[in-house]
Amino acid sequence: MPIVVDVDVMLARRKMSVGELAERVGITPANLAVLKNGRAKAVRFTTLAALCEVLDCQPGDLLRWEPEIGQPETGQPEPRAEAGAAGDTVAAVGESA
């Protein structure tokens, strides 16, 4: 996935453990690990806001875009499926559905 999550970088800069961050943000350490290790398919804005508040940073400090290997950087966004299309449901990190 071309979105890279740099939570581990901010944790190191703030000298904070994963457990402490999870507790202060209000998510489980397992869900934070999913986000931190790049396995999350989505993140709720409320969770992102809480991460930014606790880490005293901006969303851009936690998320960045990198082109996928083998794809040219065209500057054009990929086509998106229409809202409500089949398979649209994604699990969000930090809050239960």
Side-chain angles (χ1 to χ4, degrees):
M1 179 179 293
I3 300 297
V4 178
V5 181
D6 286 328
V7 170
D8 53 344
V9 172
M10 291 306 297
L11 281 170
R13 287 182 182 167
R14 303 297 187 252
K15 296 178 172 54
M16 188 181 298
S17 70
V18 172
E20 180 183 354
L21 179 61
E23 183 177 325
R24 291 179 60 183
V25 169
I27 62 176
T28 66
N31 278 343
L32 183 55
V34 168
L35 181 62
K36 187 173 94 53
N37 296 325
R39 294 187 318 260
K41 298 294 182 197
V43 61
R44 292 183 190 270
F45 281 175
T46 53
T47 303
L48 182 59
L51 286 165
C52 289
E53 182 177 356
V54 171
L55 293 170
D56 189 29
C57 66
Q58 294 295 312
D61 296 326
L62 300 175
L63 304 173
R64 63 187 160 89
W65 177 83
E66 286 189 359
E68 291 189 36
I69 296 172
Q71 284 191 336
E73 290 186 47
T74 62
Q76 298 296 318
E78 291 185 29
R80 295 178 55 192
E82 293 295 320
D88 241 5
T89 305
V90 294
V93 171
E95 298 179 30
S96 59

